[in-house]
Structure formats: structure tokens, C-alpha cells
Amino acid sequence: MISANDLSPAELAALLHFHADAGVEWLLEEEAVDRFAEFEAMKAARQGTRAAQPRVEVQQPAARPTQQPERRQAAPQAAAPAAAPRNAPAIPDEQAVEQARFAAESARSLSELKTALEAFNSCNLKNSARSTIFASGTPEGRVMVIGPMPSADDDREGTPFAGRTGQLLDKMLVAIGLKRDDILLTNVIPWRPPGNRAPSAPEIEICRPFIERQIVLAEPKALLLLGNFTARHFFGSNETIHGLRGQWREVTISGRAIPAIASLHPQELLTAPINKRLAWNDLLAFKTRIDAEARG
């Protein structure tokens, strides 16, 4: 078995990230225990005792019995190392929500908000995520595309809409005359939930002030909401994305009403390409609206 002491810092970091991507959240023990070596030691102790029994009776009647308990106790001692103190995970509660609201509202620019988000430690999701995913692109285009939460590719690369999902989104945007660098891309949740699970209600409430503050500071003229989770989050509905997509609605953030339209997430289109025609209709409606806003 490979010991952590035999790994370089880069190899150890890669191994930890692999476990995080697989959904492992906590280690059961502070130090790894080689159970195979432990078993072999116990097995050898038993075999050695049986083989030495004739000599124990004739030559050393007292020595062997005292050695047997010592060898049997060695393995349990290795399995129970002294527990090292570790930081307790953040608890999502009303106090954490208030801390998030204060941190978000204190930011006067997107760069300040990014700094505040990266320094915020009161959400459990941050404990297992590799990266804090903040908005990329520019707010100058007055167009904002919002997804649900970071994927494994996003978490690994530190940017929203990475990997195959991002490549498909780039093609979708180019098809209506937009580029990634000319708009603002972001997610409702800035940290990837372990194992791609859905975030809990308290976790959502802790993250809400940050995404709303992003919208306030970016001042978009229109929002494109991608995916079931994102549409439900902003529209306050329990319908599926197929019931919410393609309809212009108003999202009110800090007293300002912003037109928003929902569509299918690129990941859903990779899974079910037949739905690309629906997404294309949504993109055309989005393009028509932002062009009208630009002319107005």
C-alpha cells in the first residue's frame, strides 16, 4: 500500500481531488491504516505461536505466553492513532445566511464581491469543493447567462461552463451572435456539491445573497436561465424546465424587475440531443429581446 509520505504534494493533491470528485466528503480516520498489513501481522503471530508450542513447553515455559498477548495487541494500537483536532464544518443556519447577506451587500463592485465570496467560509459546500466559481466574462454586454451549480469540469478548471457543456454553450451563443467574453456567465451556487448532489435548502439560502448581488452589480438588461434548478430558483415554481422554458417573465432583484427567459441546460442537450430544437427556439427569442433592448 502506498503511504502518503511516499507521494509528492502534487500527487497527494490529485489523489484528494479524485476522492472529492467521487463524492467522498470526510475521512473516517486522521491517518490511513494498512488493514492488509495488520491482518498479515495477526496471522503471522498466530502461526508463530502454534509452531513454537513444543519448544515453549520444554525450553521457555514463561517467555512465549507473554509474547503472544503483546503481538496481538500491536495491531489494535496501530488502528487507533491519537485524534488530531480538526475544524468543525460550517453549519448552514440563519446566522450563516445573515453573514452571507452582510458580505454580499458590502461589496460595491464585482471584484469586491468575488473577494468576499472567496473569503466566505460559512457554507458546508465550500469544504468539499476545489474551487469557488465566480462570474466570468464582462458585465458591459448587459447580458447575463446563469446556470445551476458548478460541474466537475467547472470545479477542476475554476470557471463556469467548462468542459463539453461549455463547448456546447459556446456554439449556442455563437449561433445567435454572442461570445463568451462579451457576456457574463455565472451559477446560482458557487461551489460544486459533493457527488453532484442537489444543494440543500439552507445551502441555497446561504448562496442566494451572492448571486442576487452579482445581478445587481452587473445590471443586465436580460437574463438567460439554464436548467431546471435555475428556473425554479428565480421563478419560484415547482414546474419542470419543459413547463418553464420559452416564456418571458420578470425577476425582481432588490426592487428592480429584469426580463428573464429559461431554457434547457447544455448538459441536458448532450443527454437528449432531440431537445436542441426547443433550446434553439428559446435562443431566438432571447436574441430578439436583447436586440430590441439594444435598439431601445
Side-chain angles (χ1 to χ4, degrees), residues 98-110:
E98 289 299 325
Q99 292 174 356
R101 187 176 295 116
F102 177 79
E105 292 178 355
S106 299
R108 293 294 177 263
S109 66
L110 286 173

Side-chain angles (χ1 to χ4, degrees), residues 75-294:
Q77 290 174 356
R86 65 186 309 162
N87 295 328
I91 301 175
D93 54 12
E94 187 59 32
Q95 183 178 1
V97 174
E98 289 299 325
Q99 292 174 356
R101 187 176 295 116
F102 177 79
E105 292 178 355
S106 299
R108 293 294 177 263
S109 66
L110 286 173
S111 61
E112 288 184 9
L113 184 61
K114 179 180 180 181
T115 300
L117 182 61
E118 291 174 342
F120 186 78
N121 295 315
S122 295
C123 183
N124 272 341
L125 294 177
K126 189 174 184 179
N127 294 335
S128 59
R130 175 186 302 187
S131 305
T132 296
I133 309 300
F134 192 72
S136 69
T138 177
E140 296 179 1
R142 308 295 296 278
V143 173
M144 200 165 181
V145 178
I146 306 177
M149 62 207 71
S151 65
D153 289 327
D154 298 351
D155 193 36
R156 185 163 41 250
E157 298 186 23
T159 185
F161 295 99
R164 293 182 61 208
T165 298
Q167 293 171 6
L168 178 55
L169 178 61
D170 289 343
K171 294 178 181 179
M172 294 165 62
L173 295 173
V174 169
I176 58 172
L178 297 175
K179 295 181 181 180
R180 177 185 287 254
D181 295 338
D182 298 333
I183 63 176
L184 201 63
L185 294 174
T186 190
N187 288 306
V188 175
I189 307 297
W191 301 288
R192 180 194 177 218
N196 286 335
R197 66 165 173 81
S200 66
E203 290 166 347
I204 293 173
E205 291 308 308
I206 291 173
C207 296
R208 184 185 297 274
F210 291 107
I211 182 59
E212 291 186 352
R213 190 61 177 165
Q214 283 186 60
I215 296 173
V216 169
L217 295 173
E219 300 182 336
K221 291 184 177 180
L223 300 175
L224 177 59
L225 310 177
L226 300 179
N228 193 64
F229 176 86
T230 313
R232 287 181 173 183
H233 180 83
F234 285 102
F235 293 159
S237 172
N238 290 325
E239 291 186 67
T240 67
I241 187 60
H242 289 278
L244 297 173
R245 55 154 291 274
Q247 305 173 37
W248 281 101
R249 309 186 187 201
E250 286 191 343
V251 174
T252 302
I253 306 292
S254 296
R256 179 188 171 210
I258 308 170
I261 190 172
S263 187
L264 298 163
H265 193 278
Q267 183 58 52
E268 298 173 277
L269 302 179
L270 291 173
T271 304
I274 193 173
N275 289 327
K276 287 183 178 180
R277 57 186 178 83
L278 301 177
W280 175 241
N281 290 333
D282 300 337
L283 289 174
L284 291 177
F286 185 69
K287 174 64 173 176
T288 300
R289 183 63 177 259
I290 61 178
D291 284 348
E293 292 286 345

